[in-house]
């Protein structure tokens, strides 16, 4: 149904606020909510922005195309902008990011997420939100998107950087490579000390998104918010194809973690975060998409997957779906480590397409062993 003049006016005001304009004449071509092109929007951090989308599996070959895994290879040099566009080395929004891999679920597929973002980079500037990597807070960017499009679904992945994911991974890897000690005990204490405050800020992020959509003239039933959790990039110790002793996990597999720390991350930390995010979703009345098992068997060093070699080409059915830790920085940027790669993002894009077709209820998304990304499926959560 056509929007009322009042609703259209609020949409215009939201656009003006996002653009920082004091006054503007009403543009005849500007669409009000419900009349513009349909849109699905992703917001949040690196796990949804497309970090590591440069890679099709992992290969120990450090030259050329790296056995076909490096999508930035031009034939003579490396150009990450082929994958990340103008955001290369910054927000790293890849061409295989979740929303870009979801298929034709809307006319516009819009990625506002940024690698490294925290909840304060989602909040509106007027509410204490902070610009990040040269961009306005994501909620302020959403205001312009909401005014120009008919937004149907907003997927949010946030909170990991507030908890210090990168520091946890770095500490656990260092404890394996350098200190020969475990990380799970002290890092669990760090997470426990932070998690209540982080989840409160995740809830506030949902509130900020709702406030923007309301200001743009949307009613509660005009769109959906899906809060998603994080997939584990490393396997349980029993599923690791490399032994705990020696240097194979570090120098060959790119998964330098003790068994006890791997099991903690896979079966304690990732579920703890997922369960708490599910609680936030319930409290805020939004859908929850549980991705904790999405990469099961496809993680770095998983027995069910293998590295790419000169005789084993990249394959969504056999290659790893997460980026290893390149401790020597011989391939790409360290910030890509421990993120879903191009295959992983295509899989998560399938999850997004599946939840887009389910208007209510929480879901878990999993893969089917031995198949490519088309084997993703949902189950009740």
């Amino acid at each position: 149904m056509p929007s009322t003049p009042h609703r259209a006016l609020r949409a215009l005001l939201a656009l003006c606020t996002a653009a920082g304009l004091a006054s503007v004449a009403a543009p005849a071509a500007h669409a009000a909510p419900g009349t513009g092109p349909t849109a699905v929007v992703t917001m949040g951090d690196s796990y949804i922005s497309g970090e590591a989308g440069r890679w099709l599996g992992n290969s120990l070959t450090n030259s050329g195309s790296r056995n076909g895994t490096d999508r930035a290879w031009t034939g003579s040099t490396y150009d990450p902008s082929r994958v990340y566009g103008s955001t290369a080395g910054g927000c790293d929004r890849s061409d295989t990011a979740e929303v870009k891999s979801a298929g034709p679920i809307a006319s516009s597929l819009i990625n506002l997420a940024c690698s490294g973002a925290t909840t304060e980079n989602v909040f509106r500037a007027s509410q204490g939100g902070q610009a990040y990597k040269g961009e306005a807070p994501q909620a302020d960017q959403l205001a312009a998107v909401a005014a120009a499009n008919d937004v149907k679904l907003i997927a949010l992945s946030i909170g990991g950087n507030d908890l210090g994911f990168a520091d946890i991974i770095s500490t656990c890897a260092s404890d394996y490579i350098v200190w020969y000690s475990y990380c799970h005990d002290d890092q669990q204490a760090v997470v426990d000390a932070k998690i209540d405050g982080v989840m409160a800020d995740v809830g506030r992020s949902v509130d900020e998104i709702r406030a923007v959509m309301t200001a743009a003239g949307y009613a509660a039933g005009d769109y959906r918010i899906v809060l998603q959790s994080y997939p584990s990039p490393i396997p349980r110790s029993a599923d690791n194809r490399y032994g705990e002793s020696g240097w194979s996990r570090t120098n060959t597999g790119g998964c330098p973690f003790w068994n006890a720390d791997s099991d903690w991350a896979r079966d304690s930390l990732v579920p703890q975060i997922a369960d708490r995010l599910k609680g936030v979703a319930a409290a805020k009345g939004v859908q929850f998409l549980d991705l904790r098992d999405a990469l099961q068997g496809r993680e770095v060093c998983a027995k069910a997957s293998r590295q790419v070699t000169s005789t084993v080409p990249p394959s969504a059915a056999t290659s790893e779906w997460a980026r290893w830790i390149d401790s020597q920085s011989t391939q790409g940027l360290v910030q890509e480590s421990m993120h879903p790669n191009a295959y992983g993002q295509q899989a998560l894009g399938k999850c997004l397409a599946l939840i887009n077709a389910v208007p209510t209820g929480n879901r878990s998304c999993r893969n089917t062993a031995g198949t490519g990304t088309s084997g993703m499926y949902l189950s009740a959560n």
Side-chain angles (χ1 to χ4, degrees):
M1 294 178 64
S3 300
T4 65
H6 181 59
R7 188 180 182 196
L9 177 59
R10 283 188 291 172
L12 176 60
L13 291 175
L15 178 62
C16 295
T17 299
L21 303 178
S23 62
V24 65
H30 185 72
T35 61
T38 59
V40 169
V41 182
T42 49
M43 301 176 65
D45 55 29
S46 55
Y47 269 72
I48 201 168
S49 75
E51 184 70 82
R54 172 176 174 174
W55 305 96
L56 292 168
N58 298 306
S59 169
L60 290 167
T61 300
N62 287 326
S63 60
S65 70
R66 283 118 182 191
N67 292 322
T69 62
D70 193 347
R71 300 171 59 234
W73 175 245
T74 67
S76 59
T77 188
Y78 301 102
D79 180 10
S81 69
R82 290 162 62 99
V83 176
Y84 300 117
S86 62
T87 69
C91 288
D92 272 359
R93 297 186 184 108
S94 72
D95 56 359
T96 57
E98 186 174 312
V99 73
K100 300 296 184 182
S101 295
I105 59 175
S107 299
S108 298
L109 304 173
I110 300 170
N111 186 1
L112 301 180
C114 188
S115 181
T118 62
T119 51
E120 71 173 6
N121 304 129
V122 173
F123 306 156
R124 290 167 293 173
S126 64
Q127 300 302 310
Q130 299 296 310
Y132 187 59
K133 295 186 177 179
E135 297 186 1
Q138 292 177 35
D140 291 329
Q141 296 181 55
L142 176 64
V145 171
N149 298 271
D150 181 12
V151 175
K152 294 299 186 183
L153 186 146
I154 301 164
L156 174 66
S157 169
I158 201 68
N161 292 316
D162 299 70
L163 280 172
F165 264 2
D167 290 339
I168 292 172
I169 290 170
S170 177
T171 298
C172 291
S174 295
D175 282 355
Y176 180 85
I177 298 170
V178 179
W179 302 113
Y180 298 96
S181 62
Y182 294 129
C183 72
H184 63 270
D185 44 3
D186 57 311
Q187 292 305 301
Q188 183 64 66
V190 170
V191 171
D192 288 343
K194 291 181 178 180
I195 198 162
D196 286 347
V198 170
M199 291 302 147
D201 284 339
V202 172
R204 185 181 164 195
S205 296
V206 174
D207 292 340
E208 287 286 291
I209 290 170
R210 277 215 175 103
V212 166
M213 298 299 287
T214 299
Y218 288 75
D222 290 337
Y223 68 99
R224 284 188 284 149
I225 298 173
V226 174
L227 179 64
Q228 63 185 50
S229 66
Y230 296 91
S232 175
I234 60 174
R236 299 176 177 90
S237 60
D239 296 331
N240 197 311
R241 63 178 181 266
Y242 301 103
E244 185 177 32
S245 62
W247 290 100
S248 58
R249 286 190 182 181
T250 301
N251 294 334
T252 304
C255 56
F257 306 106
W258 295 110
N259 285 345
D261 292 337
S262 298
D263 289 341
W264 166 73
R266 181 67 181 86
D267 290 326
S268 181
L269 177 63
V270 169
Q272 177 186 13
I273 296 170
D275 290 343
R276 291 298 301 270
L277 287 169
K278 182 179 180 180
V280 172
K284 297 299 178 180
V286 301
Q287 277 186 287
F288 176 63
L289 178 60
D290 194 342
L291 300 177
R292 74 181 77 184
D293 298 319
L295 302 185
Q296 174 64 36
R298 315 305 182 95
E299 308 101 328
V300 178
C301 296
K303 287 180 179 178
S305 299
R306 53 189 175 179
Q307 288 181 350
V308 177
T309 68
S310 59
T311 58
V312 180
S315 166
T318 62
S319 300
E320 295 165 330
W321 287 6
R323 185 64 179 157
W324 61 9
I325 293 180
D326 179 13
S327 59
Q328 303 300 315
S329 299
T330 57
Q331 300 181 12
L333 299 177
V334 174
Q335 73 183 51
E336 295 174 304
S337 300
M338 297 287 106
H339 288 86
N341 61 22
Y343 291 136
Q345 289 169 24
Q346 289 163 5
L348 298 183
K350 180 67 172 177
C351 295
L352 180 60
L354 291 170
I355 196 73
N356 181 66
V358 180
T360 60
N362 300 330
R363 296 292 187 275
S364 296
C365 193
R366 297 179 170 87
N367 71 78
T368 302
T371 70
T373 57
S374 62
M376 304 304 293
Y377 66 95
L378 297 182
S379 60
N381 181 278

